[in-house]
Amino acid sequence: MLSIKKISVLALTLAATSVLAGPVVSFSSFGPLGAANFGGTGIPNGAVAIRTIGGTAAPEVVLGLTATQRFFQPAVTNDGAGVFQAVTGAFAPGDNVARWNFNFYIGGAGLTSYTYRLFGDYSATVGDADSSYADISAYLGLTSSLLTAGTVQGSQNLGFGTTFAQFDPNVVGQYGFILAAYDQSQQEVGRSAILVNVGTVPEPASLALVGLALLGMAGSMRRSRR
């Protein structure tokens, strides 16, 4: 049997892990973004992490991030709060293109008032800090003509190109994406951020409950020995 000390240590470890692995998501609202088609036909746009910048005092800009299945692959689900669930596996035999895509949208009257950067997490480790994310702004394909047109959007995959050469679509894990806007002094003024769990990933809330349960067991064992 595990001693009280070992149970306590295990419980505290699990509780700490649940805090560190907490979802890093950010948005003004989560739901449909009717203006977005992510550069394709039929790409779901009903579950988007939306960040609205500006408004009454400044021209409005809308940032949107979501994750969806790639073509006919199994649907990507979500918890309604910026955390998505996708399946493992390569889109085609022998490649490293995932069966799911991440999708971005930048639009609004104030589009040219800001600059934009996209960050991605190519490590499958759960709970990676956003400071470890790679700058993948090249995926945005930003040009002056696109910005002037008033909309920048697209559907991309971690398996595209060489930026994520280490990405393995068969690995169970968690990936994150951040789309941020910056003012003329390069200060961040707003971001949309999502997490994508691929395969079976421990949920932080579940880990916290396990930790609390083990702490309760340890306390109960102490009382029974008195």
Side-chain angles (χ1 to χ4, degrees):
M1 292 180 64
L2 288 174
S3 66
I4 294 176
K5 182 177 181 180
K6 288 182 179 179
I7 290 177
S8 299
V9 170
L10 177 60
L12 290 173
T13 300
L14 284 169
T17 301
S18 69
V19 173
L20 293 175
V24 182
V25 295
S26 180
F27 48 81
S28 303
S29 62
F30 187 85
L33 181 55
N37 60 25
F38 305 115
T41 301
I43 299 176
N45 62 359
V48 184
I50 303 166
R51 173 69 64 185
T52 303
I53 302 166
T56 56
E60 185 177 272
V61 171
V62 175
L63 307 178
L65 273 181
T66 188
T68 59
Q69 63 271 22
R70 181 163 172 74
F71 295 108
F72 51 84
Q73 299 299 313
V76 173
T77 59
N78 68 88
D79 66 353
V83 181
F84 295 83
Q85 184 72 43
V87 297
T88 56
F91 179 70
D95 67 22
N96 68 334
V97 175
R99 302 170 72 184
W100 54 275
N101 284 1
F102 63 93
N103 312 282
F104 59 85
Y105 173 91
I106 311 171
L111 192 66
T112 57
S113 301
Y114 306 98
T115 57
Y116 308 92
R117 296 173 71 185
L118 178 66
F119 301 91
D121 172 25
Y122 60 83
S123 167
T125 304
V126 177
D128 283 335
D130 58 11
S131 59
S132 69
Y133 287 19
D135 188 332
I136 57 172
S137 300
Y139 277 122
L140 295 175
L142 290 175
T143 62
S144 57
S145 60
L146 279 176
L147 290 171
T148 303
T151 302
V152 177
Q153 56 184 325
S155 184
Q156 298 285 353
N157 196 286
L158 287 182
F160 291 166
T162 59
T163 303
F164 287 91
Q166 298 177 335
F167 173 67
D168 184 347
N170 299 300
V171 174
V172 171
Q174 184 181 82
Y175 302 89
F177 301 91
I178 299 169
L179 178 60
Y182 300 82
D183 62 18
Q184 293 182 353
S185 64
Q186 291 305 297
Q187 295 297 310
E188 183 179 314
V189 295
R191 65 169 57 185
S192 171
I194 63 172
L195 290 173
V196 182
N197 290 334
V198 179
T200 303
V201 178
E203 293 293 341
S206 299
L207 289 173
L209 289 175
V210 172
L212 290 173
L214 289 172
L215 284 172
M217 288 172 57
S220 176
M221 291 178 66
R222 286 195 186 96
R223 288 192 297 271
S224 66
R225 290 190 176 186
R226 290 177 181 174

Coordinates of all heavy atoms in Angstrom, one line a residue, residues 17 19-24 121 123-130 132-133 174-175 195 197 201 204:
T17 N 0.4 19.9 -11.5 CA 0.3 19.7 -12.9 C -0.9 20.3 -13.5 O -0.9 20.9 -14.6 CB 0.4 18.2 -13.2 OG1 1.6 17.6 -12.7 CG2 0.3 17.9 -14.7
V19 N -2.5 22.9 -12.6 CA -2.4 24.3 -12.7 C -1.5 24.7 -13.9 O -1.9 25.6 -14.7 CB -1.8 24.9 -11.4 CG1 -1.5 26.4 -11.6 CG2 -2.7 24.7 -10.3
L20 N -0.4 24.0 -14.0 CA 0.5 24.3 -15.1 C -0.1 24.0 -16.5 O 0.3 24.6 -17.5 CB 1.8 23.5 -14.9 CG 2.7 23.9 -13.7 CD1 3.9 22.9 -13.6 CD2 3.2 25.3 -13.8
A21 N -1.0 23.0 -16.5 CA -1.5 22.6 -17.8 C -2.9 23.3 -18.1 O -3.6 22.9 -19.0 CB -1.7 21.0 -17.8
G22 N -3.2 24.3 -17.4 CA -4.4 25.0 -17.6 C -4.5 25.6 -19.0 O -3.5 26.1 -19.5
P23 N -5.6 25.5 -19.7 CA -5.8 26.1 -21.0 C -5.4 27.6 -21.1 O -5.8 28.3 -20.3 CB -7.2 25.9 -21.3 CG -7.7 24.8 -20.4 CD -6.9 24.9 -19.2
V24 N -4.6 27.9 -22.1 CA -4.2 29.3 -22.3 C -5.0 29.7 -23.5 O -4.6 29.6 -24.7 CB -2.7 29.4 -22.6 CG1 -2.3 30.9 -22.8 CG2 -1.9 28.9 -21.5
D121 N 2.4 26.5 -31.5 CA 3.1 25.6 -30.6 C 3.3 24.3 -31.3 O 2.4 23.5 -31.6 CB 2.3 25.4 -29.4 CG 2.8 24.4 -28.4 OD1 4.0 24.1 -28.5 OD2 2.0 23.8 -27.6
S123 N 5.2 21.8 -30.2 CA 5.5 20.8 -29.3 C 4.2 20.2 -28.8 O 3.2 20.9 -28.4 CB 6.3 21.3 -28.1 OG 6.3 20.4 -27.0
A124 N 4.1 18.8 -28.7 CA 2.9 18.2 -28.3 C 2.7 18.2 -26.7 O 1.7 17.7 -26.2 CB 2.9 16.7 -28.7
T125 N 3.7 18.7 -26.0 CA 3.6 18.8 -24.6 C 2.4 19.6 -24.1 O 2.1 20.7 -24.6 CB 4.9 19.4 -24.0 OG1 6.0 18.7 -24.5 CG2 4.8 19.4 -22.5
V126 N 1.7 19.0 -23.1 CA 0.5 19.7 -22.6 C 0.9 20.9 -21.7 O 1.8 20.8 -20.9 CB -0.4 18.8 -21.8 CG1 -1.6 19.5 -21.2 CG2 -0.9 17.6 -22.6
G127 N 0.3 22.1 -21.9 CA 0.5 23.2 -21.1 C 1.7 24.0 -21.4 O 2.2 24.7 -20.5
D128 N 2.2 24.0 -22.6 CA 3.4 24.8 -23.0 C 3.1 26.3 -22.8 O 2.0 26.8 -23.1 CB 3.8 24.6 -24.4 CG 4.5 23.3 -24.7 OD1 5.1 22.8 -23.7 OD2 4.5 22.8 -25.8
A129 N 4.1 27.0 -22.2 CA 3.9 28.5 -22.1 C 3.9 29.2 -23.4 O 4.6 28.7 -24.4 CB 5.0 29.0 -21.2
D130 N 3.1 30.2 -23.6 CA 3.0 30.9 -24.9 C 4.4 31.5 -25.3 O 4.6 31.8 -26.5 CB 1.9 31.9 -24.9 CG 2.0 33.0 -23.9 OD1 3.1 33.1 -23.2 OD2 1.1 33.8 -23.7
S132 N 7.0 30.0 -25.4 CA 7.8 29.0 -26.2 C 7.2 28.8 -27.6 O 7.8 28.1 -28.4 CB 7.7 27.6 -25.5 OG 6.4 27.1 -25.5
Y133 N 6.1 29.5 -27.9 CA 5.5 29.4 -29.3 C 6.4 29.9 -30.3 O 7.1 30.9 -30.1 CB 4.2 30.1 -29.3 CG 3.0 29.4 -28.6 CD1 3.3 28.4 -27.6 CD2 1.7 29.7 -28.9 CE1 2.2 27.8 -26.9 CE2 0.6 29.1 -28.2 CZ 0.9 28.2 -27.2 OH -0.1 27.6 -26.6
Q174 N -1.0 18.3 -27.2 CA -1.7 19.6 -27.2 C -0.9 20.7 -27.9 O 0.3 20.8 -27.7 CB -2.0 20.1 -25.8 CG -2.9 21.3 -25.6 CD -3.0 21.7 -24.2 OE1 -2.2 22.3 -23.6 NE2 -4.2 21.3 -23.6
Y175 N -1.6 21.4 -28.8 CA -1.0 22.5 -29.6 C -1.8 23.8 -29.4 O -3.0 23.7 -29.1 CB -1.0 22.1 -31.1 CG -0.3 20.8 -31.3 CD1 -1.0 19.6 -31.3 CD2 1.1 20.8 -31.6 CE1 -0.3 18.4 -31.5 CE2 1.7 19.6 -31.8 CZ 1.0 18.4 -31.8 OH 1.7 17.2 -32.0
L195 N -6.4 26.4 -28.0 CA -5.7 25.2 -27.8 C -6.4 24.1 -28.6 O -7.6 24.1 -28.8 CB -5.7 24.8 -26.3 CG -4.8 25.7 -25.4 CD1 -5.1 25.2 -23.9 CD2 -3.4 25.6 -25.7
N197 N -6.4 20.0 -28.6 CA -6.0 18.7 -28.0 C -6.1 17.6 -29.1 O -7.2 17.5 -29.8 CB -6.9 18.3 -26.8 CG -6.6 19.2 -25.6 OD1 -5.5 19.7 -25.4 ND2 -7.6 19.3 -24.8
V201 N -6.1 13.6 -24.4 CA -5.2 14.4 -23.6 C -5.9 14.7 -22.3 O -7.0 15.0 -22.2 CB -5.0 15.8 -24.3 CG1 -4.1 16.7 -23.4 CG2 -4.3 15.6 -25.7
P204 N -7.1 19.4 -17.7 CA -6.7 20.0 -16.4 C -7.7 19.9 -15.3 O -7.4 19.6 -14.1 CB -6.4 21.5 -16.8 CG -6.1 21.4 -18.2 CD -7.0 20.3 -18.8

